[in-house]
Amino acid sequence: MTTPHEGADPDSPEGRGGAAAAIPAAPPGGGRGALDRRRVLGAAIAFIDQEGLNALTMRRLGAYLGVEAMALYRYVPGRENLLDGVVESVIDELYGDPDVHLSASHGWQDYLQRLAHGVRRIALAHPEVFPLVASRPPAAPWVRPPLRSLRWVESFLTALIDSGFTEEAAVAAYRAYSSFLLGHLLLEVSQKGVKISPEDQPEGVPATAAATDLSEYPTVVRLESLLSLDESAAEFEEALENLLERLEIVLAEGRTPRRGDRRR
Amino acid sequence: MTTPHEGADPDSPEGRGGAAAAIPAAPPGGGRGALDRRRVLGAAIAFIDQEGLNALTMRRLGAYLGVEAMALYRYVPGRENLLDGVVESVIDELYGDPDVHLSASHGWQDYLQRLAHGVRRIALAHPEVFPLVASRPPAAPWVRPPLRSLRWVESFLTALIDSGFTEEAAVAAYRAYSSFLLGHLLLEVSQKGVKISPEDQPEGVPATAAATDLSEYPTVVRLESLLSLDESAAEFEEALENLLERLEIVLAEGRTPRRGDRRR
DNA sequence: ACCTGAACACCGTTCAAGT
DNA sequence: ACCTGAACACCGTTCAAGT
């Protein structure tokens, strides 16, 4: 079926057994300028966006930058650190997003709305990168929901506390919000381009590998058209609004949202 | 700092440069009996639980089973398929869980409660495996939130439809439920053992690599004790109850939970 | 029928050497 | 100062060969 000796990456869309490698030329900046850490991380993100996470190797990233793999070690201590840097860079894109950066000038709900949509935009822009966010260990080990960028956490907490949340309520809100956000986006991204890329199966290979016996799942089959609808955007809005409503109640009651925890 | 030439897996806790490999001996069953696909998948899960996902290679799994790597290819078409099988096996553990298997005999809310807790138990039992669930492509491409096991989806949908949900409402509920469940558990698992294993840093290496400058994040620092509390269990219960309440309203109103979609 | 040896095309990473 | 060649210890996967 597949070409023999495809190496460690069965996900990459190589397929044809012609010339070696086929590294996509020229990094986005195009400039031949000196390498630095920022350029290496940027190239890694562009590479992952184009080729997928599994295709990223030190050697291929080097080739992508017109350099031998060993040269990268001057800017990045190793592959793991490269991936950490990629996650951090992607999340920090948020701070270049004018829609998000207005801070809490129109109230905390508006701020959380804009932040959530900003994160969603990033997740959809880099669907191959986003799963890394969930699997990398957090920057500060004791920040529980590991949203990676401490700038996020800091600005989130101050916005809510400045709006009248108690410290406990702000922390609880941070947990609920980040859990919803990462959870929803991880799922949304995992069902998007990640595997159903437009031009897969370039040869005449039949796409379905070994379709499991569907006759055991009559309801799933009957509701196929409903199940295959992509309502992610609407579901995101709805779940986000619901969350904000819950937080509003918490704020109004001036308590942390623990069950059975009336007043204080 | 670290031993040179540690190969492709900087996550594995090898460290000491003594005898080669140090594969944990003897698979759980202990039997020297014939290999088969089930035994291979079971060994893979046990291996990942002990050594972490990154440590799993075909060659090491072979050694773990007392066999050369090449022998595994008789039972598993390749590494990717192995990982798919691992995900499926772990999720299917649910059907051996007596607390879950009672089906909807005590109402749909009770069923969804038991299902959620069953999935949570599995996620916590296999924290190193669970992230795979989010990153593997779904079994049936058109089942949007990719909960992998079609048995799940089938039993979920029939339980709700039998309880009076419309087909649309059942599908919407499935999406909301699975999104919450995977999202929450992915986060919970990613902050647990996954990186803060008890006996790491066996040498005298200072644990904190390059602790980023915390002075820029005063609120995060001030609320450290609140942020580092692990309230996952309580948060899980609360979010789950909240979700079930929302679904109850949907059921009572006899409509799909779309915003602004009053009656029909 | 089931497993292995040897081989191939890759990996990440190091280090001395080149310019 | 920045990059490379060569080397080392690994990978996944194949296939003919052993038992």
Side-chain angles (χ1 to χ4, degrees):
Chain A
M1 276 305 157
T2 57
T3 53
H5 289 144
E6 57 187 351
D9 176 28
D11 264 9
S12 77
E14 261 139 64
R16 251 88 69 253
I23 302 295
R32 273 279 60 73
L35 241 38
D36 62 9
R37 186 170 218 267
R38 252 188 69 275
R39 249 170 66 82
V40 170
L41 293 180
I45 293 170
F47 190 97
I48 295 172
D49 285 343
Q50 292 172 53
E51 308 293 317
L53 185 54
N54 288 342
L56 182 76
T57 68
M58 298 299 279
R59 295 171 121 110
R60 294 212 265 239
L61 181 57
Y64 183 67
L65 283 162
V67 107
E68 298 298 317
M70 310 85 196
L72 301 177
Y73 286 83
R74 199 154 289 270
Y75 308 103
V76 139
R79 186 174 195 269
E80 291 299 303
N81 181 280
L82 210 209
L83 295 182
D84 284 337
V86 162
V87 168
E88 206 172 329
S89 297
V90 159
I91 290 200
D92 280 352
E93 277 184 33
L94 224 50
Y95 284 85
D97 186 331
D99 280 1
V100 174
H101 208 45
L102 311 172
S103 192
S105 45
H106 292 286
W108 61 271
Q109 299 178 81
D110 178 63
Y111 171 63
L112 295 195
Q113 277 274 1
R114 284 183 286 107
L115 180 58
H117 284 103
V119 176
R120 181 161 183 265
R121 243 175 276 131
I122 287 177
L124 297 182
H126 305 288
E128 291 280 350
V129 174
F130 206 73
L132 271 181
V133 175
S135 55
R136 306 260 98 202
W142 37 268
V143 177
R144 281 299 175 167
L147 268 211
R148 319 317 318 280
S149 173
L150 289 178
R151 290 162 83 189
W152 266 32
V153 187
E154 179 71 19
S155 95
F156 186 107
L157 292 175
T158 54
L160 264 64
I161 291 172
D162 290 353
S163 299
F165 280 74
T166 66
E167 293 183 340
E168 288 81 4
V171 169
Y174 164 68
R175 289 221 179 85
Y177 182 86
S178 58
S179 162
F180 150 71
L181 202 50
L182 274 199
H184 183 100
L185 294 180
L186 240 20
L187 281 172
E188 184 167 357
V189 136
S190 94
Q191 79 194 213
K192 277 239 154 47
V194 174
K195 196 56 192 179
I196 316 159
S197 48
E199 67 275 56
D200 243 327
Q201 256 80 28
E203 316 290 282
V205 193
T208 50
T212 41
D213 183 12
L214 289 180
S215 69
E216 297 180 53
Y217 313 112
T219 314
V220 173
V221 169
R222 179 162 47 86
L223 301 186
E224 166 170 357
S225 61
L226 282 174
L227 284 165
S228 55
L229 278 180
D230 185 356
E231 306 265 44
S232 335
E235 284 157 17
F236 182 77
E237 303 302 341
E238 195 202 347
L240 176 57
E241 271 182 28
N242 182 269
L243 177 65
L244 295 183
E245 277 167 28
R246 279 206 285 156
L247 295 184
E248 200 164 9
I249 295 172
V250 168
L251 174 60
E253 294 184 356
R255 62 172 180 89
T256 63
R258 290 267 73 77
R259 240 172 32 227
D261 183 20
R262 313 240 74 111
R263 200 61 44 179
R264 59 166 282 116
Chain B
M1 275 305 158
T2 56
T3 52
H5 289 147
E6 57 186 352
D9 176 27
D11 265 9
S12 75
E14 262 138 63
R16 251 91 66 252
I23 302 293
R32 273 277 63 71
L35 241 39
D36 62 9
R37 189 177 157 94
R38 252 189 69 274
R39 249 170 68 80
V40 170
L41 293 180
I45 293 170
F47 189 97
I48 296 172
D49 285 344
Q50 292 173 52
E51 308 294 317
L53 185 55
N54 287 344
L56 182 76
T57 68
M58 297 300 279
R59 294 169 121 111
R60 296 212 263 240
L61 181 57
Y64 183 67
L65 282 162
V67 106
E68 297 298 320
M70 309 84 197
L72 301 177
Y73 286 82
R74 200 154 288 270
Y75 308 102
V76 140
R79 186 174 195 270
E80 292 299 303
N81 182 279
L82 210 210
L83 295 181
D84 284 336
V86 162
V87 168
E88 205 172 329
S89 297
V90 159
I91 289 200
D92 279 352
E93 276 184 33
L94 224 49
Y95 284 85
D97 187 332
D99 281 0
V100 174
H101 208 43
L102 311 173
S103 191
S105 45
H106 293 286
W108 62 272
Q109 299 177 81
D110 179 62
Y111 171 63
L112 294 196
Q113 277 273 2
R114 284 183 286 106
L115 181 59
H117 284 103
V119 176
R120 182 162 183 265
R121 244 175 274 131
I122 288 178
L124 297 181
H126 305 289
E128 289 280 350
V129 174
F130 207 72
L132 272 182
V133 174
S135 56
R136 305 260 98 202
W142 36 270
V143 178
R144 281 299 173 166
L147 268 211
R148 319 316 318 279
S149 172
L150 289 178
R151 291 162 82 188
W152 266 31
V153 186
E154 179 70 21
S155 95
F156 186 107
L157 292 175
T158 55
L160 265 63
I161 291 173
D162 290 353
S163 300
F165 280 75
T166 65
E167 294 184 339
E168 288 80 6
V171 168
Y174 164 68
R175 289 221 178 85
Y177 182 87
S178 58
S179 162
F180 149 71
L181 202 51
L182 274 199
H184 183 101
L185 294 180
L186 241 20
L187 280 172
E188 184 167 358
V189 137
S190 95
Q191 79 194 213
K192 277 241 154 47
V194 175
K195 197 54 191 179
I196 316 157
S197 48
E199 67 277 54
D200 243 327
Q201 253 81 27
E203 317 288 283
V205 193
T208 48
T212 41
D213 183 12
L214 289 180
S215 69
E216 297 179 52
Y217 312 111
T219 314
V220 173
V221 170
R222 180 161 47 86
L223 301 187
E224 167 170 358
S225 60
L226 282 175
L227 283 166
S228 55
L229 279 180
D230 184 357
E231 306 264 44
S232 335
E235 285 158 15
F236 183 77
E237 304 302 340
E238 195 204 347
L240 177 56
E241 270 182 29
N242 182 270
L243 177 65
L244 294 184
E245 276 167 28
R246 279 205 287 155
L247 294 185
E248 200 164 8
I249 296 172
V250 168
L251 173 60
E253 296 185 353
R255 61 172 180 89
T256 62
R258 289 268 74 75
R259 240 172 32 227
D261 184 18
R262 313 237 75 108
R263 201 59 47 176
R264 60 166 280 115

